[in-house]
Every structure is written in C-alpha cells, then in structure tokens.
Amino acid sequence: MYTWRGEIKRYALIYGATGLLGYFLGILLPSLLVLTLILLGIDLLQLHRLQRWLAKDHGSDKSAPPESFGVWGAVFDGIYRLQKQERRASAHLESLLNKAQESSAALEMGVIMIDRHNNLDWWNSASESLLGLRHPQDRGQSITNLIRDPNFAEYFSKENYDEPLKLPAPGDSTQILEFEIALFGKHERLMIVRDITQLHRLELMRKDFVGNVSHELGTPITVIKGYLEAITDNLQDLDPKWQKPIEQMHQQSNRMENIVRDLLLLSSLETKQRPKPQDAFSLSSLLSEIRNDTLQIYKKKSHTFDLHCPENIEILGDRSELYSALSNLVVNAAKYTPEDGEIAVDVAFDEEFLTIEVKDNGIGIDPQHIPRLTERFYRVDVSRSSETGGTGLGLAIVKHILARHDAELDIESEVGEGSRFTCKLPALRYRIADLAGNEVSEKAAETATSLTH
Ligand code: ADP
C-alpha cells in the first residue's frame, strides 16, 4: 500500500544512490540534475495519462484508469474509487426516479409539477389525456396558457387552495375535472387533477332528486295542512279522543312544511350562481326587519331585543339570501331562549372584516355538538327540536349562504349560559356609505353612528 513515508524513503534512496555514484565518478551535480529531469519527465508522463483518461466519455467508456505506481498509482486508484461510488449513487437515484415515474404513470389522476415561474416542469401520462398536455413540447410553458379558463387563472393566482376547484376539461366540456394544488419548496406547486365526471353527475342527480321530491311534496302537504287547520279551528266539535291526535297532526304538518321549504331553499342555493358583490343593501334596515318579524312571531315570550348596527353599512350580496341566513340565527335565538330572555344583535367592522353577532342568554349548547351543528338534519335534542318545529336544516342553510358570500360562521355556546353566533364577512362584501348613499372613506367610516333600535 502507498504511504508518504515510503515515497520519501524511495526518493531519498534514489537520490542517495545517484549522488554516491556521481560523487565517485566526479559528476555529482550533473548526475543529480539528470535524475531530477528524469523524475520530472515521469511525473509529466503520468499527468498526461491521467488527463487523457479524464477526457474520455465515462458515460459510455467505463474503462479503469491507467495502471501506475507510487503517488500516481494512489491518485489513479482514488479517482477510480470515487467514480465508482458516484456511479452507484446515480444508478440508485435513477432507479428511484424510474419507480416514481412508473408508479405515477399507473395513476389515473394527473400529477403535475409547476415551477415558481408558473411553468410546467414535469407531469405524468394521465395529465396528457386529462388536459391534453404534450410531451416534451409543453415543458416550460405557463400553466395558465395551457388551461385557459378564467376561473382556473383566478384560483391559481389566489393561492388559497383549501377547497379544490371543479371545471369542465379543456377541449371536452362534458368531462368535469377537479384540481387540487399544494405549494412546496421555493414557491413551486404540485397539482393533482382528477376526472370527477361520474361523481359530478351523481351529485347533480342528488340535487335534482331532493329538489324534485321537495317540490312534489309541497302540494300534498299544503292540502293536508289546510284541512288540518280547518279541523283545528273547530276542535270543540270533535270527539275529545281525536283532539290530541289532530293537534299533533297539525303540528307535524307544519314541521313537514318547514322541512320541504328548507330543502327547497337548500337545493336552489346549490344550483344558483354565487351572488356577485354588485347589489348593495342597507344592513341596518335588514336587521330591523328581521328583529320586527321575530318579535312578532315570538310575541308571547316577551324577550328584550337589542340591535346595534351603524346605519351606513351596505352589504354587497343577495338581500333575500342574507335575510334567510340572519333570520335563521335570530329566530333560533328566540326559539331557544326562554320567556323574558335577552337577545342582542351587534355589528362591528374594521378595514378587513365586518362581524354580525347574534347573542342570546338562552338554554345554550353543549360544546361537543358545536362542530356538527351546521350539518344537515343535525339536532342537539331531537324531541325538543320537533316541539319547536325545528328542521335541523337552519344552520346548514346559514353556513351555505355565508359561504356564497365569502363569509364564515363562528359558534360559541355554553349550556345554561346562552349562545353567540358570529358571521364574519370580508371587506369585498360590505362598504361604508354616507347617509345619502355614497361611498365614504375609511376615516369617515370610523365616525359611523352606532344606533340602538
Ligand atoms: P333547528 O331547525 O332544529 O333549529 P338548526 O340547524 O337551526 O335546526 O339548529 C341546529 C340545532 O342547534 C338545533 O336543533 C338546536 O339544538 C341548536 N341551536 C341552534 N341555535 C341555538 C341557540 N341559539 N341556542 C341553543 N341551541 C341552538
């Protein structure tokens, strides 16, 4: 094995022997000079062999470096060893890459990598059939040039990928695709594309079915309810044993009517376009209307009802939808608050959000139910809900309408203490107007009057 010490010894021996011979022959200096030139020549020759070997194409020619000895032999062997390690590592990486490519090619969904300049970097074969991408021509092309739907461009640039996007496939509008995007690395994106045509059809069928059933049930229920109302009006003429059943039938027919009404509303919300932030209406007049309607319905409960809403707030959205959402919250507050209880509606805003808070000091809700309250037909207490004529659809409607207005619902409650339902609308859904109806600056907005009705 090569060592520096052995090498130095070898040089010392060669120079010693040559020096001794030169000394006895009387040519000490010339002999040492000749020896140095010879050694230099050998080094140059080895360097030349190494350079020639390095210049080869090592991808195709896997030959070992030239044989050598001493320090040069060690250098050649070291380089060869490093080269072999490198080859093993790249073979491993290549096999990993091949496996990843083979498995992604077997996927039915499209997988696309997009670089930080929004250009296509890599995609699997399913993406080619789903989106019509061509390999390799489309590599480096901007994704928004290849998928030209404005909804896609908006979704892609918004960078809020919590919800997937559904769109007709480019080139085949009967096929529905779902896009999901995840950000990774240095602002790169991984996009997953699925064909959800079948699911979408089923979803449409479900919506149609619910809509049609609710519609068809409407007339029979109205007729049954009409007769029951007529009978209830003349209850005293009935055999007493029928009085309770008739009362219950009347109560349940009311409930059925409410369920059908709520189902119809939900199905129309699901099929209608989202309201664009174009139409403006006064929030304070909407809330006053809801307050008066609710007080009228629950007159007997003698609630106190405080409404605090600056008069100059205008909501940008669909008034009748927001009437349904907010009146559901206010009616619930009245429904689930005993007599002489307190209900309050407070509105507050800053530059980013507007909040509408509906509070009551009623029976409250056990926090374990809160995450599920906005599910359809979810009720905390089924028996209590059927007594109050509840459908279990009210909060599902509220959530749906708020989502259509880019808003969120937050619920806080404690059993026996009361509940607080907060609707949070983003800035694009409200504006502050002066009392003549014109838009005013943020500064003026701060001085908005807080009215108590
Ligand atoms: P429902 O028609 O049964 O009232 P909702 O979807 O409006 O259905 O409400 C779901 C459930 O949430 C109700 O059954 C009720 O138990 C509970 N709930 C809603 N609002 C309140 C409230 N203000 N106070 C107490 N419980 C409430």
Side-chain angles (χ1 to χ4, degrees):
M1 207 186 78
Y2 166 81
T3 60
W4 264 113
R5 195 175 289 185
E7 188 72 7
I8 289 166
K9 264 191 202 159
R10 205 162 27 248
Y11 271 82
L13 212 69
I14 296 170
Y15 269 96
T18 312
L20 217 60
L21 193 68
Y23 178 72
F24 284 120
L25 295 176
I27 48 166
L28 176 65
L29 277 180
S31 63
L32 289 179
L33 190 67
V34 169
L35 175 66
T36 308
L37 285 175
I38 290 170
L39 290 175
L40 201 65
I42 292 171
D43 281 351
L44 280 175
L45 182 69
Q46 301 300 345
L47 259 179
H48 174 65
R49 293 171 74 204
L50 177 63
Q51 183 275 328
R52 266 186 35 202
W53 179 74
L54 286 174
K56 281 183 190 169
D57 174 8
H58 293 276
S60 54
D61 182 351
K62 301 211 170 18
S63 61
E67 282 295 328
S68 191
F69 54 87
V71 66
W72 286 107
V75 168
F76 286 2
D77 289 349
I79 291 178
Y80 191 45
R81 216 174 24 252
L82 279 177
Q83 194 193 37
K84 280 207 286 200
Q85 276 172 8
E86 182 84 0
R87 270 200 199 119
R88 269 200 300 273
S90 63
H92 181 63
L93 272 179
E94 204 177 303
S95 97
L96 271 183
L97 210 66
N98 284 342
K99 273 189 206 157
Q101 279 189 338
E102 277 165 24
S103 52
S104 68
L107 287 175
E108 280 181 19
M109 59 187 174
V111 182
I112 301 162
M113 280 192 201
I114 299 160
D115 69 18
R116 63 199 171 99
H117 305 295
N118 303 343
N119 297 332
L120 289 187
D121 205 3
W122 176 89
W123 58 91
N124 68 345
S125 50
S127 316
E128 296 177 10
S129 51
L130 289 170
L131 296 172
L133 301 182
R134 293 156 310 155
H135 188 79
Q137 298 94 307
D138 289 335
R139 188 141 193 263
Q141 294 280 339
S142 163
I143 183 73
T144 42
N145 278 347
L146 295 167
I147 306 173
R148 292 191 154 269
D149 194 307
N151 291 319
F152 179 81
E154 190 191 332
Y155 178 72
F156 190 81
S157 59
K158 239 187 188 174
E159 297 196 359
N160 175 6
Y161 304 130
D162 294 346
E163 295 286 325
L165 173 76
K166 291 177 192 152
L167 280 184
D172 179 5
S173 56
T174 59
Q175 193 185 23
I176 305 295
L177 301 181
E178 183 183 73
F179 296 82
E180 264 185 280
I181 301 181
L183 282 165
F184 73 98
K186 292 186 182 137
H187 223 81
E188 286 150 292
R189 292 173 177 89
L190 179 72
M191 186 161 87
I192 307 285
V193 188
R194 285 191 195 85
D195 180 354
I196 54 153
T197 314
Q198 203 57 18
L199 255 177
H200 184 72
R201 262 190 217 134
L202 284 173
E203 182 68 8
L204 281 184
M205 273 166 64
R206 183 193 64 77
K207 284 180 190 165
D208 280 356
F209 178 77
V210 174
N212 290 340
V213 167
S214 317
H215 187 72
E216 292 302 323
L217 282 176
T219 319
I221 290 171
T222 315
V223 173
I224 295 170
K225 206 186 136 211
Y227 281 121
L228 284 168
E229 248 156 36
I231 300 172
T232 322
D233 286 346
N234 302 296
L235 217 53
Q236 66 285 355
D237 302 340
L238 273 185
D239 185 339
K241 76 172 178 200
W242 286 108
Q243 288 182 358
K244 196 153 192 284
I246 294 287
E247 255 171 10
Q248 273 181 354
M249 280 159 82
H250 185 217
Q251 207 182 52
Q252 292 304 323
S253 70
N254 276 336
R255 227 185 118 220
M256 246 150 79
E257 190 181 54
N258 291 345
I259 293 178
V260 166
R261 185 206 54 216
D262 283 358
L263 278 175
L264 270 174
L265 177 58
L266 264 175
S267 89
S268 86
L269 289 174
E270 279 175 332
T271 41
K272 268 199 310 189
Q273 281 275 339
R274 259 157 63 91
K276 297 255 178 279
Q278 283 156 350
D279 302 327
F281 60 88
S282 154
L283 179 62
S284 99
S285 87
L286 177 83
L287 290 174
S288 299
E289 200 179 316
I290 292 175
R291 175 180 176 270
N292 295 342
D293 292 349
T294 314
L295 282 176
Q296 183 61 29
I297 304 170
Y298 290 91
K299 232 182 345 209
K300 286 189 190 146
K301 287 185 137 183
S302 319
H303 292 134
T304 37
F305 197 130
D306 284 336
L307 171 59
H308 301 272
C309 175
E311 254 198 357
N312 50 357
I313 295 177
E314 289 187 335
I315 300 290
L316 305 167
D318 184 311
R319 191 180 195 276
S320 69
E321 283 187 22
L322 282 158
Y323 178 94
S324 296
L326 295 170
S327 88
N328 259 313
L329 295 179
V330 175
V331 164
N332 274 351
K335 210 166 30 172
Y336 300 108
T337 301
E339 282 174 22
D340 301 321
E342 286 163 21
I343 299 169
V345 175
D346 287 306
V347 176
F349 64 87
D350 59 21
E351 283 162 28
E352 279 183 278
F353 295 103
L354 172 99
T355 55
I356 307 167
E357 215 175 70
V358 181
K359 277 185 296 188
D360 64 65
N361 65 350
I363 57 171
I365 309 161
D366 189 335
Q368 62 161 331
H369 296 292
I370 291 179
R372 299 197 57 196
L373 278 188
T374 53
E375 286 174 20
R376 286 175 196 197
F377 295 112
Y378 188 84
R379 275 162 298 167
V380 173
D381 179 343
V382 178
S383 59
R384 185 216 300 161
S385 201
S386 36
E387 269 167 38
T388 54
T391 62
L393 291 168
L395 292 179
I397 292 174
V398 174
K399 191 177 167 192
H400 214 100
I401 293 176
L402 289 183
R404 284 164 63 77
H405 288 82
D406 310 290
E408 284 171 13
L409 177 69
D410 182 50
I411 309 172
E412 289 165 72
S413 190
E414 255 182 71
V415 178
E417 296 289 317
S419 312
R420 181 200 304 260
F421 290 78
T422 311
C423 310
K424 195 169 163 194
L425 278 90
L428 78 146
R429 287 292 180 178
Y430 65 92
R431 68 174 183 220
I432 313 303
D434 65 18
L435 295 177
N438 305 317
E439 220 177 313
V440 292
S441 67
E442 241 98 60
K443 191 80 203 136
E446 283 167 26
T447 60
T449 42
S450 173
L451 296 181
T452 307
H453 295 252

PDB file of all heavy atoms in Angstrom, residues 245-272:
ATOM      1  N   PRO A 245    -104.696  13.864  18.890  1.00  0.00           N
ATOM      2  CA  PRO A 245    -104.065  13.430  17.630  1.00  0.00           C
ATOM      3  C   PRO A 245    -104.144  14.489  16.529  1.00  0.00           C
ATOM      4  O   PRO A 245    -103.177  14.727  15.811  1.00  0.00           O
ATOM      5  CB  PRO A 245    -104.876  12.189  17.229  1.00  0.00           C
ATOM      6  CG  PRO A 245    -105.508  11.699  18.472  1.00  0.00           C
ATOM      7  CD  PRO A 245    -105.670  12.881  19.379  1.00  0.00           C
ATOM      8  N   ILE A 246    -105.308  15.175  16.446  1.00  0.00           N
ATOM      9  CA  ILE A 246    -105.436  16.195  15.399  1.00  0.00           C
ATOM     10  C   ILE A 246    -104.448  17.330  15.636  1.00  0.00           C
ATOM     11  O   ILE A 246    -103.776  17.806  14.717  1.00  0.00           O
ATOM     12  CB  ILE A 246    -106.890  16.739  15.331  1.00  0.00           C
ATOM     13  CG1 ILE A 246    -107.843  15.650  14.874  1.00  0.00           C
ATOM     14  CG2 ILE A 246    -106.998  17.980  14.429  1.00  0.00           C
ATOM     15  CD1 ILE A 246    -107.760  15.281  13.405  1.00  0.00           C
ATOM     16  N   GLU A 247    -104.295  17.720  16.892  1.00  0.00           N
ATOM     17  CA  GLU A 247    -103.346  18.797  17.230  1.00  0.00           C
ATOM     18  C   GLU A 247    -101.924  18.405  16.830  1.00  0.00           C
ATOM     19  O   GLU A 247    -101.161  19.197  16.270  1.00  0.00           O
ATOM     20  CB  GLU A 247    -103.396  19.078  18.728  1.00  0.00           C
ATOM     21  CG  GLU A 247    -104.134  20.352  19.034  1.00  0.00           C
ATOM     22  CD  GLU A 247    -104.371  20.519  20.531  1.00  0.00           C
ATOM     23  OE1 GLU A 247    -103.800  19.740  21.348  1.00  0.00           O
ATOM     24  OE2 GLU A 247    -105.131  21.407  20.865  1.00  0.00           O
ATOM     25  N   GLN A 248    -101.598  17.139  17.148  1.00  0.00           N
ATOM     26  CA  GLN A 248    -100.246  16.670  16.814  1.00  0.00           C
ATOM     27  C   GLN A 248    -100.048  16.586  15.302  1.00  0.00           C
ATOM     28  O   GLN A 248     -98.979  16.939  14.786  1.00  0.00           O
ATOM     29  CB  GLN A 248    -100.010  15.288  17.425  1.00  0.00           C
ATOM     30  CG  GLN A 248     -99.503  15.414  18.853  1.00  0.00           C
ATOM     31  CD  GLN A 248     -99.232  14.083  19.496  1.00  0.00           C
ATOM     32  OE1 GLN A 248     -99.526  13.025  18.915  1.00  0.00           O
ATOM     33  NE2 GLN A 248     -98.735  14.104  20.703  1.00  0.00           N
ATOM     34  N   MET A 249    -101.112  16.129  14.602  1.00  0.00           N
ATOM     35  CA  MET A 249    -101.010  16.055  13.138  1.00  0.00           C
ATOM     36  C   MET A 249    -100.793  17.457  12.558  1.00  0.00           C
ATOM     37  O   MET A 249    -100.002  17.650  11.638  1.00  0.00           O
ATOM     38  CB  MET A 249    -102.291  15.425  12.549  1.00  0.00           C
ATOM     39  CG  MET A 249    -102.303  13.911  12.654  1.00  0.00           C
ATOM     40  SD  MET A 249    -103.969  13.287  12.546  1.00  0.00           S
ATOM     41  CE  MET A 249    -104.229  13.272  10.808  1.00  0.00           C
ATOM     42  N   HIS A 250    -101.479  18.417  13.150  1.00  0.00           N
ATOM     43  CA  HIS A 250    -101.341  19.798  12.684  1.00  0.00           C
ATOM     44  C   HIS A 250     -99.910  20.302  12.902  1.00  0.00           C
ATOM     45  O   HIS A 250     -99.278  20.887  12.020  1.00  0.00           O
ATOM     46  CB  HIS A 250    -102.352  20.675  13.427  1.00  0.00           C
ATOM     47  CG  HIS A 250    -102.350  22.082  12.914  1.00  0.00           C
ATOM     48  ND1 HIS A 250    -102.518  23.164  13.729  1.00  0.00           N
ATOM     49  CD2 HIS A 250    -102.186  22.588  11.671  1.00  0.00           C
ATOM     50  CE1 HIS A 250    -102.443  24.263  13.013  1.00  0.00           C
ATOM     51  NE2 HIS A 250    -102.249  23.933  11.750  1.00  0.00           N
ATOM     52  N   GLN A 251     -99.387  19.995  14.112  1.00  0.00           N
ATOM     53  CA  GLN A 251     -98.014  20.409  14.460  1.00  0.00           C
ATOM     54  C   GLN A 251     -96.996  19.773  13.496  1.00  0.00           C
ATOM     55  O   GLN A 251     -96.105  20.444  12.974  1.00  0.00           O
ATOM     56  CB  GLN A 251     -97.747  19.915  15.882  1.00  0.00           C
ATOM     57  CG  GLN A 251     -96.732  20.725  16.635  1.00  0.00           C
ATOM     58  CD  GLN A 251     -96.525  20.101  18.005  1.00  0.00           C
ATOM     59  OE1 GLN A 251     -96.271  18.902  18.136  1.00  0.00           O
ATOM     60  NE2 GLN A 251     -96.668  20.897  19.047  1.00  0.00           N
ATOM     61  N   GLN A 252     -97.183  18.463  13.255  1.00  0.00           N
ATOM     62  CA  GLN A 252     -96.231  17.754  12.394  1.00  0.00           C
ATOM     63  C   GLN A 252     -96.349  18.199  10.931  1.00  0.00           C
ATOM     64  O   GLN A 252     -95.356  18.211  10.205  1.00  0.00           O
ATOM     65  CB  GLN A 252     -96.416  16.228  12.492  1.00  0.00           C
ATOM     66  CG  GLN A 252     -96.018  15.649  13.846  1.00  0.00           C
ATOM     67  CD  GLN A 252     -94.574  15.997  14.227  1.00  0.00           C
ATOM     68  OE1 GLN A 252     -93.691  16.037  13.382  1.00  0.00           O
ATOM     69  NE2 GLN A 252     -94.360  16.286  15.502  1.00  0.00           N
ATOM     70  N   SER A 253     -97.583  18.556  10.517  1.00  0.00           N
ATOM     71  CA  SER A 253     -97.710  19.014   9.129  1.00  0.00           C
ATOM     72  C   SER A 253     -97.011  20.363   8.965  1.00  0.00           C
ATOM     73  O   SER A 253     -96.432  20.652   7.917  1.00  0.00           O
ATOM     74  CB  SER A 253     -99.177  19.086   8.704  1.00  0.00           C
ATOM     75  OG  SER A 253     -99.815  20.134   9.379  1.00  0.00           O
ATOM     76  N   ASN A 254     -97.032  21.171  10.026  1.00  0.00           N
ATOM     77  CA  ASN A 254     -96.270  22.436   9.992  1.00  0.00           C
ATOM     78  C   ASN A 254     -94.785  22.140   9.830  1.00  0.00           C
ATOM     79  O   ASN A 254     -94.078  22.797   9.083  1.00  0.00           O
ATOM     80  CB  ASN A 254     -96.456  23.207  11.305  1.00  0.00           C
ATOM     81  CG  ASN A 254     -97.719  24.035  11.268  1.00  0.00           C
ATOM     82  OD1 ASN A 254     -98.200  24.390  10.201  1.00  0.00           O
ATOM     83  ND2 ASN A 254     -98.280  24.307  12.446  1.00  0.00           N
ATOM     84  N   ARG A 255     -94.343  21.132  10.601  1.00  0.00           N
ATOM     85  CA  ARG A 255     -92.926  20.773  10.548  1.00  0.00           C
ATOM     86  C   ARG A 255     -92.534  20.275   9.159  1.00  0.00           C
ATOM     87  O   ARG A 255     -91.485  20.620   8.623  1.00  0.00           O
ATOM     88  CB  ARG A 255     -92.632  19.690  11.588  1.00  0.00           C
ATOM     89  CG  ARG A 255     -91.413  20.048  12.370  1.00  0.00           C
ATOM     90  CD  ARG A 255     -91.017  18.981  13.316  1.00  0.00           C
ATOM     91  NE  ARG A 255     -89.715  18.527  12.937  1.00  0.00           N
ATOM     92  CZ  ARG A 255     -89.329  17.287  12.950  1.00  0.00           C
ATOM     93  NH1 ARG A 255     -90.178  16.344  13.331  1.00  0.00           N
ATOM     94  NH2 ARG A 255     -88.121  16.958  12.601  1.00  0.00           N
ATOM     95  N   MET A 256     -93.412  19.431   8.595  1.00  0.00           N
ATOM     96  CA  MET A 256     -93.140  18.901   7.268  1.00  0.00           C
ATOM     97  C   MET A 256     -93.045  20.043   6.244  1.00  0.00           C
ATOM     98  O   MET A 256     -92.190  20.044   5.371  1.00  0.00           O
ATOM     99  CB  MET A 256     -94.265  17.942   6.856  1.00  0.00           C
ATOM    100  CG  MET A 256     -93.766  16.519   6.720  1.00  0.00           C
ATOM    101  SD  MET A 256     -95.050  15.369   7.105  1.00  0.00           S
ATOM    102  CE  MET A 256     -96.005  15.361   5.659  1.00  0.00           C
ATOM    103  N   GLU A 257     -93.942  21.003   6.416  1.00  0.00           N
ATOM    104  CA  GLU A 257     -93.931  22.142   5.500  1.00  0.00           C
ATOM    105  C   GLU A 257     -92.608  22.915   5.626  1.00  0.00           C
ATOM    106  O   GLU A 257     -92.006  23.308   4.629  1.00  0.00           O
ATOM    107  CB  GLU A 257     -95.110  23.066   5.817  1.00  0.00           C
ATOM    108  CG  GLU A 257     -95.291  24.121   4.765  1.00  0.00           C
ATOM    109  CD  GLU A 257     -96.440  25.053   5.098  1.00  0.00           C
ATOM    110  OE1 GLU A 257     -96.434  25.615   6.217  1.00  0.00           O
ATOM    111  OE2 GLU A 257     -97.332  25.209   4.274  1.00  0.00           O
ATOM    112  N   ASN A 258     -92.157  23.062   6.894  1.00  0.00           N
ATOM    113  CA  ASN A 258     -90.885  23.765   7.114  1.00  0.00           C
ATOM    114  C   ASN A 258     -89.717  23.003   6.486  1.00  0.00           C
ATOM    115  O   ASN A 258     -88.809  23.600   5.898  1.00  0.00           O
ATOM    116  CB  ASN A 258     -90.609  23.930   8.611  1.00  0.00           C
ATOM    117  CG  ASN A 258     -91.575  24.916   9.240  1.00  0.00           C
ATOM    118  OD1 ASN A 258     -92.240  25.668   8.526  1.00  0.00           O
ATOM    119  ND2 ASN A 258     -91.679  24.889  10.559  1.00  0.00           N
ATOM    120  N   ILE A 259     -89.735  21.654   6.650  1.00  0.00           N
ATOM    121  CA  ILE A 259     -88.640  20.845   6.091  1.00  0.00           C
ATOM    122  C   ILE A 259     -88.607  20.996   4.570  1.00  0.00           C
ATOM    123  O   ILE A 259     -87.551  21.236   3.980  1.00  0.00           O
ATOM    124  CB  ILE A 259     -88.788  19.351   6.490  1.00  0.00           C
ATOM    125  CG1 ILE A 259     -88.582  19.193   8.002  1.00  0.00           C
ATOM    126  CG2 ILE A 259     -87.808  18.477   5.725  1.00  0.00           C
ATOM    127  CD1 ILE A 259     -88.745  17.792   8.535  1.00  0.00           C
ATOM    128  N   VAL A 260     -89.773  20.886   3.954  1.00  0.00           N
ATOM    129  CA  VAL A 260     -89.850  20.995   2.494  1.00  0.00           C
ATOM    130  C   VAL A 260     -89.369  22.386   2.050  1.00  0.00           C
ATOM    131  O   VAL A 260     -88.588  22.524   1.106  1.00  0.00           O
ATOM    132  CB  VAL A 260     -91.288  20.708   2.021  1.00  0.00           C
ATOM    133  CG1 VAL A 260     -91.484  21.131   0.576  1.00  0.00           C
ATOM    134  CG2 VAL A 260     -91.588  19.231   2.170  1.00  0.00           C
ATOM    135  N   ARG A 261     -89.791  23.418   2.800  1.00  0.00           N
ATOM    136  CA  ARG A 261     -89.375  24.793   2.447  1.00  0.00           C
ATOM    137  C   ARG A 261     -87.840  24.917   2.533  1.00  0.00           C
ATOM    138  O   ARG A 261     -87.201  25.426   1.619  1.00  0.00           O
ATOM    139  CB  ARG A 261     -90.058  25.776   3.417  1.00  0.00           C
ATOM    140  CG  ARG A 261     -89.824  27.231   3.118  1.00  0.00           C
ATOM    141  CD  ARG A 261     -89.948  28.061   4.377  1.00  0.00           C
ATOM    142  NE  ARG A 261     -89.063  27.563   5.432  1.00  0.00           N
ATOM    143  CZ  ARG A 261     -89.355  27.557   6.726  1.00  0.00           C
ATOM    144  NH1 ARG A 261     -90.515  28.027   7.148  1.00  0.00           N
ATOM    145  NH2 ARG A 261     -88.485  27.099   7.617  1.00  0.00           N
ATOM    146  N   ASP A 262     -87.268  24.376   3.643  1.00  0.00           N
ATOM    147  CA  ASP A 262     -85.811  24.476   3.825  1.00  0.00           C
ATOM    148  C   ASP A 262     -85.057  23.653   2.786  1.00  0.00           C
ATOM    149  O   ASP A 262     -84.013  24.078   2.281  1.00  0.00           O
ATOM    150  CB  ASP A 262     -85.421  24.015   5.237  1.00  0.00           C
ATOM    151  CG  ASP A 262     -85.728  25.097   6.264  1.00  0.00           C
ATOM    152  OD1 ASP A 262     -86.187  26.174   5.856  1.00  0.00           O
ATOM    153  OD2 ASP A 262     -85.514  24.862   7.474  1.00  0.00           O
ATOM    154  N   LEU A 263     -85.597  22.460   2.461  1.00  0.00           N
ATOM    155  CA  LEU A 263     -84.926  21.631   1.453  1.00  0.00           C
ATOM    156  C   LEU A 263     -84.947  22.314   0.089  1.00  0.00           C
ATOM    157  O   LEU A 263     -83.956  22.289  -0.638  1.00  0.00           O
ATOM    158  CB  LEU A 263     -85.608  20.262   1.339  1.00  0.00           C
ATOM    159  CG  LEU A 263     -85.187  19.240   2.392  1.00  0.00           C
ATOM    160  CD1 LEU A 263     -86.025  17.980   2.249  1.00  0.00           C
ATOM    161  CD2 LEU A 263     -83.707  18.891   2.259  1.00  0.00           C
ATOM    162  N   LEU A 264     -86.082  22.935  -0.218  1.00  0.00           N
ATOM    163  CA  LEU A 264     -86.176  23.645  -1.500  1.00  0.00           C
ATOM    164  C   LEU A 264     -85.184  24.808  -1.549  1.00  0.00           C
ATOM    165  O   LEU A 264     -84.519  25.023  -2.556  1.00  0.00           O
ATOM    166  CB  LEU A 264     -87.591  24.185  -1.700  1.00  0.00           C
ATOM    167  CG  LEU A 264     -88.564  23.241  -2.404  1.00  0.00           C
ATOM    168  CD1 LEU A 264     -89.962  23.827  -2.404  1.00  0.00           C
ATOM    169  CD2 LEU A 264     -88.117  22.976  -3.841  1.00  0.00           C
ATOM    170  N   LEU A 265     -85.082  25.508  -0.413  1.00  0.00           N
ATOM    171  CA  LEU A 265     -84.151  26.638  -0.353  1.00  0.00           C
ATOM    172  C   LEU A 265     -82.719  26.134  -0.545  1.00  0.00           C
ATOM    173  O   LEU A 265     -81.951  26.681  -1.341  1.00  0.00           O
ATOM    174  CB  LEU A 265     -84.301  27.356   0.992  1.00  0.00           C
ATOM    175  CG  LEU A 265     -83.342  28.514   1.246  1.00  0.00           C
ATOM    176  CD1 LEU A 265     -83.477  29.570   0.168  1.00  0.00           C
ATOM    177  CD2 LEU A 265     -83.592  29.147   2.610  1.00  0.00           C
ATOM    178  N   LEU A 266     -82.374  25.036   0.183  1.00  0.00           N
ATOM    179  CA  LEU A 266     -81.013  24.494   0.061  1.00  0.00           C
ATOM    180  C   LEU A 266     -80.727  24.064  -1.366  1.00  0.00           C
ATOM    181  O   LEU A 266     -79.652  24.329  -1.895  1.00  0.00           O
ATOM    182  CB  LEU A 266     -80.860  23.279   0.980  1.00  0.00           C
ATOM    183  CG  LEU A 266     -80.232  23.546   2.341  1.00  0.00           C
ATOM    184  CD1 LEU A 266     -80.262  22.295   3.175  1.00  0.00           C
ATOM    185  CD2 LEU A 266     -78.794  24.034   2.197  1.00  0.00           C
ATOM    186  N   SER A 267     -81.721  23.386  -1.993  1.00  0.00           N
ATOM    187  CA  SER A 267     -81.420  22.904  -3.340  1.00  0.00           C
ATOM    188  C   SER A 267     -81.340  24.063  -4.322  1.00  0.00           C
ATOM    189  O   SER A 267     -80.548  24.025  -5.256  1.00  0.00           O
ATOM    190  CB  SER A 267     -82.393  21.794  -3.773  1.00  0.00           C
ATOM    191  OG  SER A 267     -83.498  22.331  -4.384  1.00  0.00           O
ATOM    192  N   SER A 268     -82.106  25.130  -4.085  1.00  0.00           N
ATOM    193  CA  SER A 268     -81.959  26.270  -5.002  1.00  0.00           C
ATOM    194  C   SER A 268     -80.611  26.964  -4.770  1.00  0.00           C
ATOM    195  O   SER A 268     -79.983  27.444  -5.706  1.00  0.00           O
ATOM    196  CB  SER A 268     -83.128  27.243  -4.871  1.00  0.00           C
ATOM    197  OG  SER A 268     -82.891  28.155  -3.846  1.00  0.00           O
ATOM    198  N   LEU A 269     -80.137  26.971  -3.502  1.00  0.00           N
ATOM    199  CA  LEU A 269     -78.824  27.588  -3.231  1.00  0.00           C
ATOM    200  C   LEU A 269     -77.714  26.804  -3.922  1.00  0.00           C
ATOM    201  O   LEU A 269     -76.714  27.367  -4.370  1.00  0.00           O
ATOM    202  CB  LEU A 269     -78.543  27.609  -1.730  1.00  0.00           C
ATOM    203  CG  LEU A 269     -79.346  28.575  -0.878  1.00  0.00           C
ATOM    204  CD1 LEU A 269     -79.053  28.366   0.589  1.00  0.00           C
ATOM    205  CD2 LEU A 269     -79.039  30.016  -1.284  1.00  0.00           C
ATOM    206  N   GLU A 270     -77.910  25.473  -3.977  1.00  0.00           N
ATOM    207  CA  GLU A 270     -76.868  24.630  -4.571  1.00  0.00           C
ATOM    208  C   GLU A 270     -76.799  24.775  -6.086  1.00  0.00           C
ATOM    209  O   GLU A 270     -75.761  24.527  -6.681  1.00  0.00           O
ATOM    210  CB  GLU A 270     -77.139  23.156  -4.233  1.00  0.00           C
ATOM    211  CG  GLU A 270     -76.653  22.794  -2.846  1.00  0.00           C
ATOM    212  CD  GLU A 270     -77.014  21.388  -2.449  1.00  0.00           C
ATOM    213  OE1 GLU A 270     -78.039  20.873  -2.945  1.00  0.00           O
ATOM    214  OE2 GLU A 270     -76.292  20.811  -1.634  1.00  0.00           O
ATOM    215  N   THR A 271     -77.918  25.148  -6.689  1.00  0.00           N
ATOM    216  CA  THR A 271     -77.905  25.212  -8.155  1.00  0.00           C
ATOM    217  C   THR A 271     -77.696  26.636  -8.685  1.00  0.00           C
ATOM    218  O   THR A 271     -77.257  26.813  -9.803  1.00  0.00           O
ATOM    219  CB  THR A 271     -79.218  24.627  -8.734  1.00  0.00           C
ATOM    220  OG1 THR A 271     -80.308  25.054  -7.932  1.00  0.00           O
ATOM    221  CG2 THR A 271     -79.210  23.115  -8.755  1.00  0.00           C
ATOM    222  N   LYS A 272     -77.961  27.632  -7.818  1.00  0.00           N
ATOM    223  CA  LYS A 272     -77.828  29.024  -8.290  1.00  0.00           C
ATOM    224  C   LYS A 272     -76.365  29.460  -8.342  1.00  0.00           C
ATOM    225  O   LYS A 272     -75.531  28.945  -7.596  1.00  0.00           O
ATOM    226  CB  LYS A 272     -78.566  29.962  -7.314  1.00  0.00           C
ATOM    227  CG  LYS A 272     -79.992  30.225  -7.718  1.00  0.00           C
ATOM    228  CD  LYS A 272     -80.574  31.458  -7.054  1.00  0.00           C
ATOM    229  CE  LYS A 272     -80.419  31.566  -5.569  1.00  0.00           C
ATOM    230  NZ  LYS A 272     -81.123  32.619  -4.916  1.00  0.00           N
TER     231      LYS A 272
END
